[in-house]
Amino acid sequence: VIVRPLADDELAFVDARLPLSRLGNEGGQYVVAWLDRQPVGHAHIAWRQTRLGVPEVQDVFVAEAHRRRGIATQLVEVVETLVRERGGDALSLSVGIGNYAAQALWDRLGFVDAGIEPERILGTITLRDEPFEVDDTLVYLVKRLGPSAPEPPL
Ligand SMILES: CC(C)(COP(=O)(O)OP(=O)(O)OC[C@H]1O[C@@H](n2cnc3c(N)ncnc32)[C@H](O)[C@@H]1OP(=O)(O)O)[C@@H](O)C(=O)NCCC(=O)NCCS
């Protein structure tokens, strides 16, 4: 599996195969995991205007047939590298309070509770001009990024 930033000339191809629900967000960027020339997963980085004021990884998704093979882990490693390259020293995210699979992933990758109140998201949100009804509670997590070796949590 190769993970790299989504290039403009790959956009239509990937968009037809994976749910790039944050596509077009200002100040954002996707990285995509490729296996045998097919896109099998993605993660979006919001560089600005995030809840915690540090870069936030969003819309981490791996196609069902390819889960539990370390692809999300690889996606997040590349995101962390991109953040470090820009001089960032922390990465944040939010996870649904009932999303135990994702919570296990974040725990394993060293994300810890950011210390802010979980946020109830209730009502209609707009993703790529489409309305979605949501009722979820998001927990915010953060990971300090050391220059190379992992550092102890906050
Ligand atoms: C969550 C998700 C991104 C994980 O992708 P993945 O490529 O399967 O994750 P990885 O293979 O890198 O998992 C690494 C570790 O995370 C944990 N983990 C991942 N999926 C898990 C699951 N379903 N149940 C329990 N633990 C899980 C495990 O510790 C796993 O290591 P292991 O397989 O050696 O036990 C994927 O299930 C997905 O796309 N889900 C739908 C979208 C979503 O919920 N995104 C996260 C939003 S915050």
Side-chain angles (χ1 to χ4, degrees):
V1 171
I2 293 170
V3 175
R4 52 184 163 80
L6 176 61
D8 286 344
D9 61 358
E10 299 167 335
L11 204 152
F13 186 80
V14 176
D15 192 28
R17 288 159 178 85
L18 294 176
L20 298 169
S21 56
R22 305 272 183 159
L23 196 68
N25 280 19
E26 223 193 301
Q29 174 187 2
Y30 267 102
V31 295
V32 172
W34 294 86
L35 178 67
D36 301 331
R37 294 170 187 250
Q38 291 299 316
V40 293
H42 57 62
H44 183 263
I45 314 167
W47 291 105
R48 307 190 259 111
Q49 292 175 329
T50 62
R51 181 71 176 80
L52 293 176
V54 299
E56 183 176 316
V57 60
Q58 307 167 330
D59 194 20
V60 179
F61 174 85
V62 174
E64 230 169 292
H66 299 284
R67 289 180 187 172
R68 299 307 285 269
R69 295 186 203 163
I71 294 175
T73 299
Q74 256 182 274
L75 282 161
V76 174
E77 281 169 3
V78 169
V79 170
E80 290 179 9
T81 300
L82 292 172
V83 171
R84 280 198 194 90
E85 281 174 2
R86 286 208 187 189
D89 63 0
L91 180 63
S92 63
L93 61 88
S94 68
V95 57
I97 204 159
N99 191 350
Y100 301 115
Q103 284 172 23
L105 171 72
W106 303 131
D107 182 52
R108 176 151 155 173
L109 293 181
F111 286 81
V112 298
D113 194 288
I116 66 171
E117 274 299 303
E119 209 168 79
R120 179 93 185 267
I121 309 291
L122 178 62
T124 309
I125 61 162
T126 306
L127 291 173
R128 300 188 67 186
D129 300 326
E130 294 276 341
F132 288 91
E133 292 305 318
V134 291
D135 180 1
D136 201 359
T137 297
L138 300 180
V139 177
Y140 279 85
L141 306 180
V142 69
K143 179 178 179 177
R144 287 270 156 221
L145 304 178
S148 47
E151 284 182 344
L154 282 176

